Amino acid sequence: MDKLPKHTSTDVQIDRLVIPDDRLRPVGEEKVRALMALIEEFGFIVPITVRRASGRITLVDGLHRTTAMQRLGRETIPAIEIDGTLAKARGVEVASNLVAGMTPLQDAIFLAEWEKVYVELHPETKGGIAGARAKHGMQRTNLSFAELVAESRQVTPRQIRRIVAAAEALTRDEARSLQGAGVRLPISDIQIIGKITDPDERLATIQKLALGAAKSASAARRAWRAEIGEDTVSLQAPEQHRDEQALKALRDGWNRCSAAVRRKFATEFGDEIIRWSDTYVEPDEAK
């Protein structure tokens, strides 16, 4: 077995850093701008990874962080230097990006906690209230938390607000139990759990998911209702049931269509769907 590469902490001159042409992940402008704001707020936290060979210092992982620091006028950047082969350096780049992801629930929990910190530090941004002068070329006044994260992820602020609300609807113990679940819960399932008002049903739903006895919140609720002898149709309000039936009809129709028909539909209604998605507000959010 090959020896693991050694790691050394150091500071690297940014202008001496070689950026390989074959980077697997290109720079995203939105993420760079968001990182610039975070670095100014909290300082530089996570060192980049570099490799020294043939008298050159080559970037392995951290191009977004490097770009952000460079735009902020920083001359040096904290780095972890590895001494492995080129293949091992490539492996570090791949692994760093692959393992950086979190489950939707973990992502929601971290976003909710980050929002608390952000709003405490910038109370003027709560609810999207405009504040200080625009920073870092964002061409906006102080960004709200949802706007800042949405800018980085290239999604809408409404999507970020929904993710945060889903996490905030859970207690700490519920979140801990669900993180041990044998299934990867989507945000929609987390939202369903947060809206269950019956404590017995809520506990049973979480337990079934945590034990891997159900693959979704809806399946867990149906199983619990069946166990206590209740009709599972009562899980839905009449309006919700009608919506589900309409959605099913749309989905079935789409699945039956040919590729040519789907293209025509996308051409005709694509722009309208995007505009509606960006402006739609959930009933709970409109209150």
Side-chain angles (χ1 to χ4, degrees):
M1 181 177 178
D2 293 340
K3 292 173 60 178
L4 293 174
K6 295 180 181 179
H7 296 70
T8 304
S9 297
T10 185
D11 284 338
V12 175
Q13 290 287 137
I14 294 178
D15 60 3
R16 291 188 56 201
L17 192 57
V18 177
I19 311 298
D21 293 329
D22 59 350
R23 297 281 307 169
L24 296 175
R25 186 182 181 188
V27 171
E29 183 62 26
E30 294 81 6
K31 183 165 185 177
V32 170
R33 292 202 298 265
L35 279 171
M36 290 169 67
L38 292 176
I39 291 170
E40 285 207 321
E41 187 69 61
F42 302 108
F44 190 84
I45 300 173
V46 183
I48 63 173
T49 305
V50 299
R51 174 176 177 266
R52 189 186 298 269
S54 303
R56 303 196 312 170
I57 303 175
T58 304
L59 179 70
V60 174
D61 179 59
L63 184 53
H64 284 94
R65 282 164 280 166
T66 301
T67 305
M69 289 284 277
Q70 188 173 40
R71 290 192 189 174
L72 289 171
R74 312 296 171 82
E75 297 182 355
T76 63
I77 185 169
I80 300 296
E81 184 180 316
I82 60 174
D83 66 350
T85 63
L86 181 59
K88 286 184 177 177
R90 191 65 155 182
V92 169
E93 177 190 356
V94 173
S96 297
N97 284 278
L98 285 179
V99 304
M102 295 187 286
T103 66
L105 175 57
Q106 291 168 338
D107 188 50
I109 291 171
F110 273 80
L111 282 175
E113 192 64 26
W114 184 19
E115 182 186 40
K116 293 177 185 176
V117 174
Y118 187 86
V119 172
E120 182 177 345
L121 293 172
H122 300 286
E124 73 278 3
T125 67
K126 187 175 182 179
I129 300 172
R133 290 165 43 186
K135 294 182 180 181
H136 321 311
M138 291 183 181
Q139 304 305 314
R140 303 185 189 190
T141 52
N142 247 12
L143 298 180
S144 71
F145 170 81
E147 290 170 330
L148 174 65
V149 179
E151 185 87 37
S152 173
R153 297 189 177 193
Q154 299 183 47
V155 297
T156 65
R158 180 177 67 87
Q159 289 173 286
I160 299 301
R161 287 193 293 269
R162 292 181 65 183
I163 293 173
V164 171
E168 290 179 337
L170 301 176
T171 67
R172 185 179 298 273
D173 287 341
E174 288 173 341
R176 187 178 295 113
S177 295
L178 288 170
Q179 288 190 73
V183 293
R184 185 181 177 90
L185 296 176
I187 290 296
S188 57
D189 271 19
I190 302 169
Q191 290 172 322
I192 289 173
I193 295 169
K195 293 178 180 179
I196 299 175
T197 56
D198 184 314
D200 292 334
E201 180 181 0
R202 185 162 173 144
L203 177 60
T205 300
I206 292 172
Q207 287 178 337
K208 288 183 181 299
L209 289 168
L211 294 173
K215 293 184 178 180
S216 69
S218 296
R221 296 182 74 191
R222 286 194 296 269
W224 180 76
R225 289 294 180 101
E227 289 173 4
I228 64 173
E230 289 191 11
D231 184 0
T232 56
V233 174
S234 62
L235 283 172
Q236 295 180 335
E239 297 83 0
Q240 183 182 1
H241 183 66
R242 287 195 296 270
D243 288 347
E244 289 294 332
Q245 292 297 104
L247 178 61
K248 182 178 184 301
L250 283 172
R251 188 183 294 116
D252 291 344
W254 176 268
N255 290 336
R256 287 195 299 268
C257 289
S258 66
V261 172
R262 291 179 182 180
R263 280 195 297 271
K264 290 180 180 179
F265 181 87
T267 300
E268 185 173 349
F269 294 102
D271 290 343
E272 181 180 345
I273 291 172
I274 292 173
R275 286 195 301 272
W276 180 88
S277 177
D278 285 342
T279 58
Y280 174 73
V281 177
E282 290 285 341
D284 289 347
E285 297 177 3
K287 294 179 181 179

